[in-house]
Amino acid sequence: MLMAPRHFITLMDLSKDELKTLIARAIELKAMRYANKRYEPFKNKVLAMIFEKSSTRTRVSFETAMSQCGGSAIFLSPADTQLGRGEPIEDTARVLSSMVDCVMIRTYAHEKVELFAKYAKVPVINALTDMYHPCQLLADIQTYIEHRGSIQGKKVAWIGDGNNMCHSYIRAAHQFDFELAIASPIGYQPNANLVAEFKEHVSLSTAPAQAVTNADLVTTDVWASMGQEKEHAKRAQVFAPYQVDSHLMSLAKPEALFMHCLPAHRGEEVSAKVIDGPQSVVWDQAENRLHSQKALLEFLLAD
Ligand code: CP
Ligand code: NVA
C-alpha cells in the first residue's frame, strides 16, 4: 500500500523535532551552497507551483531550490491554467499528482490548500494563504538561530496586523517554544481561537511599547495584505501608532533583531531607519527562504 504523503500546510504538520532537524539541515545546505558543493538529490523531480497571488521571494526561492538541486519547477497561474476557468481544485489535485512530485500553492482561502491536499497523492506545500505563511517562518527561525542561537525561551514581539504571518508566528511560538507578545489594534487582532489554543506562549494587547519591552526579536508585516488593497487608506490610519521606528526598537533588548517577511513599506509599518539599520536582518531572512525550502523539499521528497 502507498503511504499517504506528508504535507506542509501549517507548522503543525511537522513535529517539534522534525522542525528542529529541518532548520539545522537548512543551515547545512546553506554552507554547502557557499562552498559551491554540487548536491542534486531532486534529479528528475518536478515541483508544480500554483500562484493565485503575486510573489517575488517565494517563486524565485522554490524555483531556484529545485533547479540547484537537480530538479525543475513549473509556474502555474490561474490566468493560463484551467484553474482560472473554474476546473475544480479536487480534479486539478488528482491530475497534477499523477505527473509531478510535489505541489506548492499560494492562494486566498486556506481551505483551498486543505482540499487540494486531501485529493493529492504527492506532498503539498502551503506557500501562503489568507490564514498562514509557514514557509516564511522556517526562514525566520533559521535567521534568528544563525544570528543569536536558539530561540527557545526568547521573547518575540509581533507588531501590527493579526494576519497570516502573525498566525504562523503563533504556531511557531508553540513549536519552537518561545514567548510571543502581539500588539494589534482592535478589529485587526489575530484569530481568537488560535490565540486561546496557544495561550501558554502567546499574549495579546493593543500596546506596541508593552509588546516590545525586553524583546529579543521585533517583527512586523504590511498593514494591508494581498487581497486587502482597497482597505489600504483606512488601515493606514488605524495602524499609524503601530509603526516600528527607532523609539519602539529602543524599548527592546539592545541586541534585539528586526525582521520583516517583505515586501515592506518604509514609512508605514516600519521606518527606513529601522529596516535599513544595524538590527535589521531582513536580507538574510529573504535569502534563507532558499535554504530552508531546500530542506523542506528534501524532507517531503524523501523516498
Ligand atoms: N515574503 C514573501 O513570501 O515574499 P513574496 O510575496 O515575494 O513571495
Ligand atoms: N501578509 C502579507 C505577506 C506577504 C508575504 C500578505 O499576505 O500579503
Side-chain angles (χ1 to χ4, degrees):
M1 209 180 76
L2 274 177
M3 283 221 309
R6 296 286 299 268
H7 301 299
F8 188 62
I9 310 297
T10 79
L11 287 169
M12 308 307 276
D13 287 326
L14 268 64
S15 69
K16 291 181 183 189
D17 279 349
E18 284 171 336
L19 284 171
K20 214 172 158 182
T21 307
L22 196 145
I23 303 287
R25 181 65 179 152
I27 294 170
E28 233 169 66
L29 289 166
K30 183 174 183 174
M32 279 158 65
R33 168 95 192 125
Y34 280 21
N36 271 323
K37 204 168 160 191
R38 220 178 147 105
Y39 180 60
E40 299 185 334
F42 307 156
K43 215 161 175 6
N44 297 323
K45 303 276 188 198
V46 180
L47 170 73
M49 309 189 298
I50 300 173
F51 278 101
E52 298 195 325
K53 286 176 174 170
S54 305
S55 169
T56 297
R57 281 145 287 269
T58 306
R59 178 180 175 180
V60 175
S61 55
F62 269 112
E63 201 163 329
T64 304
M66 286 306 293
S67 172
Q68 288 178 351
C69 291
S72 59
I74 305 173
F75 174 78
L76 301 165
S77 80
D80 350 86
T81 59
Q82 300 292 2
L83 264 175
R85 298 179 62 250
E87 181 165 12
I89 199 86
E90 301 90 315
D91 295 359
T92 309
R94 283 185 278 222
V95 172
L96 291 187
S97 289
S98 70
M99 300 180 186
V100 304
D101 302 281
C102 188
V103 181
M104 183 238 79
I105 312 177
R106 168 169 286 196
T107 189
Y108 294 86
H110 186 70
E111 295 69 30
K112 207 165 175 175
V113 177
E114 290 178 331
L115 187 63
F116 196 103
K118 191 173 160 196
Y119 286 88
K121 290 191 175 54
V122 296
V124 174
I125 298 171
N126 174 5
L128 183 147
T129 62
D130 289 344
M131 190 66 187
Y132 296 107
H133 193 8
C135 291
Q136 182 67 52
L137 263 291
L138 298 179
D140 290 18
I141 303 298
Q142 179 186 346
T143 308
Y144 188 87
I145 291 172
E146 285 175 343
H147 282 271
R148 297 283 183 266
S150 172
I151 198 163
Q152 188 174 16
K154 297 285 163 63
K155 180 179 179 184
V156 177
W158 174 271
I159 308 301
D161 195 13
N163 63 11
N164 44 10
M165 275 297 298
C166 179
H167 292 153
S168 280
Y169 260 97
I170 292 174
R171 294 203 142 164
H174 171 83
Q175 292 293 64
F176 294 97
D177 196 17
F178 59 80
E179 177 193 342
L180 179 66
I182 302 169
S184 304
I186 300 292
Y188 299 88
Q189 297 195 320
N191 181 287
N193 293 334
L194 206 56
V195 175
E197 187 181 346
F198 297 105
K199 62 178 185 301
E200 273 178 32
H201 288 91
V202 178
S203 62
L204 180 59
S205 77
T206 54
Q210 183 186 321
V212 299
T213 297
N214 233 3
D216 298 280
L217 167 63
V218 178
T219 182
T220 187
D221 188 13
V222 291
W223 290 342
S225 283
M226 290 182 275
Q228 298 170 335
E229 288 77 7
K230 286 199 182 111
E231 297 173 34
H232 186 270
K234 181 173 179 222
R235 283 170 169 265
Q237 275 184 343
V238 175
F239 284 101
Y242 289 79
Q243 182 184 93
V244 179
D245 58 13
S246 302
H247 171 67
L248 199 64
M249 280 306 289
S250 74
L251 304 176
K253 286 195 180 142
E255 70 273 22
L257 298 175
F258 171 77
M259 288 194 194
H260 189 310
C261 66
L262 305 178
H265 298 78
R266 288 169 176 77
E268 291 189 19
E269 73 273 10
V270 60
S271 69
K273 219 170 158 186
V274 169
I275 196 168
D276 298 318
Q279 287 168 285
S280 171
V281 289
V282 298
W283 312 121
D284 292 340
Q285 228 185 318
E287 178 190 329
N288 283 339
R289 295 293 302 278
L290 172 66
H291 310 296
S292 57
Q293 284 160 201
K294 271 186 192 169
L296 175 66
L297 288 163
E298 190 181 53
F299 175 84
L300 295 175
L301 291 172
D303 290 328

